Amino acid sequence: GCLRAVMAAAPPPSAPGGPEPPAAPPLQYSMLLQHLVGEQRRPRAWDPATLGGIPSPPKSEEQKMVERAMESCAFKAALACVGGFVLGGAFGVFTAGIDTNVGFDPKDPYRTPTAKEVLKDMGQRGISYAKNFAIVGAMFSCTECVVESYRGKSDWKNSVISGCITGGAIGFRAGLKAGVIGCGGFAAFSAAIDYYLR
Protein backbone atom coordinates (compact mmCIF):
# COMPACT_ATOMS: atom_id res chain seq x y z
CA GLY A 1 0.00 0.00 0.00
CA CYS A 2 2.79 2.42 0.94
CA LEU A 3 4.74 1.77 -2.29
CA ARG A 4 1.68 2.41 -4.40
CA ALA A 5 1.04 5.74 -2.66
CA VAL A 6 4.61 6.89 -3.33
CA MET A 7 4.43 5.82 -6.98
CA ALA A 8 1.10 7.61 -7.38
CA ALA A 9 2.54 10.81 -5.90
CA ALA A 10 5.62 10.75 -8.16
CA PRO A 11 5.17 12.59 -11.48
CA PRO A 12 4.90 10.38 -14.52
CA PRO A 13 8.16 10.08 -16.42
CA SER A 14 8.20 11.96 -19.70
CA ALA A 15 8.13 9.96 -22.84
CA PRO A 16 11.45 9.53 -24.59
CA GLY A 17 10.28 11.51 -27.58
CA GLY A 18 8.30 14.05 -25.59
CA PRO A 19 9.19 17.73 -25.27
CA GLU A 20 11.79 18.56 -22.61
CA PRO A 21 11.50 21.69 -20.47
CA PRO A 22 13.46 24.61 -21.99
CA ALA A 23 16.91 25.03 -20.41
CA ALA A 24 18.18 28.49 -19.42
CA PRO A 25 20.58 29.94 -22.04
CA PRO A 26 24.19 29.72 -20.88
CA LEU A 27 25.86 33.01 -19.86
CA GLN A 28 28.34 33.96 -22.52
CA TYR A 29 31.27 35.47 -20.66
CA SER A 30 33.20 36.29 -23.81
CA MET A 31 30.43 38.61 -25.04
CA LEU A 32 30.18 40.20 -21.61
CA LEU A 33 33.92 40.83 -21.51
CA GLN A 34 33.83 42.34 -24.99
CA HIS A 35 31.33 44.93 -23.77
CA LEU A 36 33.18 45.60 -20.51
CA VAL A 37 36.85 45.69 -21.51
CA GLY A 38 36.98 44.60 -25.14
CA GLU A 39 36.59 46.31 -28.46
CA GLN A 40 32.84 46.88 -28.05
CA ARG A 41 33.28 48.92 -24.89
CA ARG A 42 31.92 52.41 -25.28
CA PRO A 43 34.29 55.08 -23.97
CA ARG A 44 32.83 57.50 -21.52
CA ALA A 45 32.98 61.16 -22.34
CA TRP A 46 34.91 62.99 -19.64
CA ASP A 47 32.79 65.86 -18.48
CA PRO A 48 33.92 67.57 -15.27
CA ALA A 49 30.51 69.18 -14.85
CA THR A 50 28.86 65.79 -14.31
CA LEU A 51 31.21 65.12 -11.40
CA GLY A 52 30.55 68.45 -9.79
CA GLY A 53 33.73 70.03 -11.15
CA ILE A 54 34.43 73.65 -10.46
CA PRO A 55 34.87 75.73 -13.61
CA SER A 56 38.20 77.55 -13.75
CA PRO A 57 37.83 81.26 -13.06
CA PRO A 58 38.82 83.71 -15.77
CA LYS A 59 42.44 84.77 -15.67
CA SER A 60 43.23 88.14 -14.23
CA GLU A 61 45.29 90.77 -16.01
CA GLU A 62 48.23 90.09 -13.71
CA GLN A 63 48.22 86.39 -14.63
CA LYS A 64 48.03 87.21 -18.34
CA MET A 65 50.89 89.67 -17.97
CA VAL A 66 53.04 87.08 -16.16
CA GLU A 67 52.29 84.48 -18.87
CA ARG A 68 53.23 86.94 -21.62
CA ALA A 69 56.46 87.79 -19.79
CA MET A 70 57.35 84.11 -19.39
CA GLU A 71 56.71 83.47 -23.09
CA SER A 72 58.79 86.45 -24.19
CA CYS A 73 62.15 86.03 -25.89
CA ALA A 74 63.91 88.03 -23.17
CA PHE A 75 62.74 85.63 -20.44
CA LYS A 76 63.72 82.58 -22.51
CA ALA A 77 67.14 84.10 -23.16
CA ALA A 78 67.63 84.87 -19.46
CA LEU A 79 66.57 81.35 -18.51
CA ALA A 80 68.98 79.85 -21.06
CA CYS A 81 71.71 82.16 -19.78
CA VAL A 82 71.27 80.94 -16.20
CA GLY A 83 71.06 77.31 -17.32
CA GLY A 84 74.14 77.70 -19.51
CA PHE A 85 76.05 79.31 -16.64
CA VAL A 86 75.29 76.42 -14.30
CA LEU A 87 75.99 73.77 -16.95
CA GLY A 88 79.18 75.48 -18.10
CA GLY A 89 80.46 75.86 -14.55
CA ALA A 90 79.87 72.17 -13.84
CA PHE A 91 81.53 71.21 -17.13
CA GLY A 92 84.52 73.46 -16.44
CA VAL A 93 85.06 72.05 -12.96
CA PHE A 94 84.75 68.51 -14.33
CA THR A 95 87.29 69.05 -17.10
CA ALA A 96 89.65 70.77 -14.66
CA GLY A 97 89.35 67.82 -12.31
CA ILE A 98 90.59 65.36 -14.93
CA ASP A 99 93.26 67.67 -16.34
CA THR A 100 96.72 66.75 -15.04
CA ASN A 101 98.11 70.26 -15.71
CA VAL A 102 95.77 72.04 -13.31
CA GLY A 103 97.66 73.96 -10.65
CA PHE A 104 101.10 73.48 -12.19
CA ASP A 105 103.35 76.49 -12.58
CA PRO A 106 105.00 76.61 -16.05
CA LYS A 107 108.03 78.36 -14.52
CA ASP A 108 108.62 75.49 -12.10
CA PRO A 109 107.04 72.33 -13.58
CA TYR A 110 108.64 70.00 -11.02
CA ARG A 111 106.96 71.63 -8.04
CA THR A 112 103.89 69.85 -6.73
CA PRO A 113 100.92 72.24 -6.62
CA THR A 114 99.06 72.73 -3.38
CA ALA A 115 95.38 71.93 -2.95
CA LYS A 116 94.60 75.67 -2.78
CA GLU A 117 96.25 76.27 -6.17
CA VAL A 118 94.40 73.34 -7.74
CA LEU A 119 91.05 74.55 -6.38
CA LYS A 120 91.82 78.08 -7.57
CA ASP A 121 92.53 76.86 -11.12
CA MET A 122 89.40 74.70 -11.08
CA GLY A 123 87.31 77.68 -10.00
CA GLN A 124 88.81 79.92 -12.68
CA ARG A 125 88.15 77.35 -15.39
CA GLY A 126 84.62 76.76 -14.12
CA ILE A 127 83.85 80.49 -14.21
CA SER A 128 85.34 80.79 -17.71
CA TYR A 129 83.28 77.89 -19.05
CA ALA A 130 80.19 79.18 -17.25
CA LYS A 131 80.48 82.59 -18.93
CA ASN A 132 80.96 81.09 -22.38
CA PHE A 133 78.06 78.66 -21.99
CA ALA A 134 75.83 81.43 -20.64
CA ILE A 135 76.56 83.70 -23.62
CA VAL A 136 76.07 80.94 -26.18
CA GLY A 137 72.88 79.71 -24.48
CA ALA A 138 71.38 83.19 -24.33
CA MET A 139 72.30 83.93 -27.96
CA PHE A 140 70.89 80.64 -29.21
CA SER A 141 67.67 80.84 -27.21
CA CYS A 142 66.97 84.46 -28.13
CA THR A 143 67.74 83.85 -31.82
CA GLU A 144 65.55 80.75 -31.91
CA CYS A 145 62.68 82.63 -30.27
CA VAL A 146 62.95 85.50 -32.76
CA VAL A 147 63.13 83.09 -35.72
CA GLU A 148 60.14 81.13 -34.42
CA SER A 149 58.14 84.34 -33.95
CA TYR A 150 59.06 85.52 -37.44
CA ARG A 151 58.26 82.21 -39.16
CA GLY A 152 55.19 81.43 -37.06
CA LYS A 153 56.18 77.76 -36.91
CA SER A 154 57.86 75.50 -34.39
CA ASP A 155 59.95 72.91 -36.22
CA TRP A 156 63.53 71.76 -36.70
CA LYS A 157 64.32 74.59 -39.12
CA ASN A 158 64.23 77.11 -36.28
CA SER A 159 67.03 75.28 -34.47
CA VAL A 160 69.13 75.02 -37.64
CA ILE A 161 68.71 78.71 -38.53
CA SER A 162 69.38 79.94 -35.00
CA GLY A 163 72.34 77.55 -34.69
CA CYS A 164 73.84 78.92 -37.88
CA ILE A 165 73.35 82.52 -36.74
CA THR A 166 74.83 81.84 -33.30
CA GLY A 167 77.79 79.83 -34.60
CA GLY A 168 78.46 82.38 -37.33
CA ALA A 169 78.35 85.30 -34.89
CA ILE A 170 80.82 83.57 -32.59
CA GLY A 171 83.11 82.44 -35.42
CA PHE A 172 83.18 85.74 -37.34
CA ARG A 173 85.40 87.24 -34.64
CA ALA A 174 88.18 84.98 -35.92
CA GLY A 175 87.47 85.67 -39.60
CA LEU A 176 85.08 84.84 -42.42
CA LYS A 177 86.20 81.24 -42.78
CA ALA A 178 85.83 80.57 -39.06
CA GLY A 179 82.37 82.15 -39.20
CA VAL A 180 81.24 79.89 -42.03
CA ILE A 181 82.62 76.82 -40.24
CA GLY A 182 80.96 77.90 -36.99
CA CYS A 183 77.66 78.43 -38.77
CA GLY A 184 77.71 75.00 -40.40
CA GLY A 185 78.98 73.16 -37.35
CA PHE A 186 76.55 74.77 -34.92
CA ALA A 187 73.64 74.30 -37.33
CA ALA A 188 74.45 70.60 -37.73
CA PHE A 189 74.82 70.20 -33.96
CA SER A 190 71.50 71.97 -33.37
CA ALA A 191 69.76 69.79 -35.94
CA ALA A 192 71.14 66.64 -34.32
CA ILE A 193 70.06 67.71 -30.84
CA ASP A 194 66.61 68.72 -32.10
CA TYR A 195 66.20 65.40 -33.89
CA TYR A 196 67.25 63.49 -30.78
CA LEU A 197 64.89 65.45 -28.50
CA ARG A 198 61.93 65.16 -30.85
Side-chain angles (χ1 to χ4, degrees):
C2 231
L3 185 59
R4 287 179 184 175
V6 171
M7 290 179 68
S14 60
E20 295 184 359
L27 184 60
Q28 297 182 356
Y29 290 102
S30 59
M31 291 181 61
L32 185 63
L33 289 175
Q34 285 293 326
H35 285 281
L36 290 177
V37 295
E39 297 178 351
Q40 298 181 8
R41 181 176 65 90
R42 295 181 181 178
R44 279 188 174 181
W46 176 257
D47 187 8
T50 60
L51 301 176
I54 302 172
S56 59
K59 295 179 180 178
S60 63
E61 288 299 323
E62 290 82 7
Q63 288 176 331
K64 292 179 181 178
M65 190 170 62
V66 168
E67 286 183 358
R68 283 195 297 268
M70 291 180 68
E71 292 175 359
S72 66
C73 294
F75 179 79
K76 291 180 179 178
L79 195 64
C81 181
V82 173
F85 188 87
V86 173
L87 183 64
F91 186 72
V93 170
F94 174 75
T95 55
I98 61 176
D99 189 358
T100 56
N101 294 324
V102 172
F104 282 96
D105 187 3
K107 297 177 182 178
D108 189 7
Y110 296 104
R111 185 180 65 85
T112 303
T114 62
K116 185 177 180 180
E117 292 172 343
V118 172
L119 291 175
K120 181 180 177 182
D121 280 3
M122 289 176 68
Q124 288 177 350
R125 185 178 292 193
I127 293 295
S128 174
Y129 274 64
K131 289 179 181 178
N132 291 335
F133 273 58
I135 292 171
V136 172
M139 285 178 62
F140 180 81
S141 180
C142 186
T143 307
E144 185 180 27
C145 182
V146 171
V147 170
E148 183 176 340
S149 301
Y150 176 76
R151 295 183 67 234
K153 297 178 182 179
S154 178
D155 54 12
W156 61 273
K157 293 181 182 178
N158 295 338
S159 299
V160 173
I161 295 171
S162 57
C164 180
I165 294 173
T166 304
I170 294 172
F172 275 135
R173 294 182 299 176
L176 180 62
K177 185 178 180 181
V180 172
I181 294 174
C183 171
F186 217 103
F189 180 73
S190 302
I193 294 296
D194 189 80
Y195 176 78
Y196 177 75
L197 292 178
R198 287 177 189 266

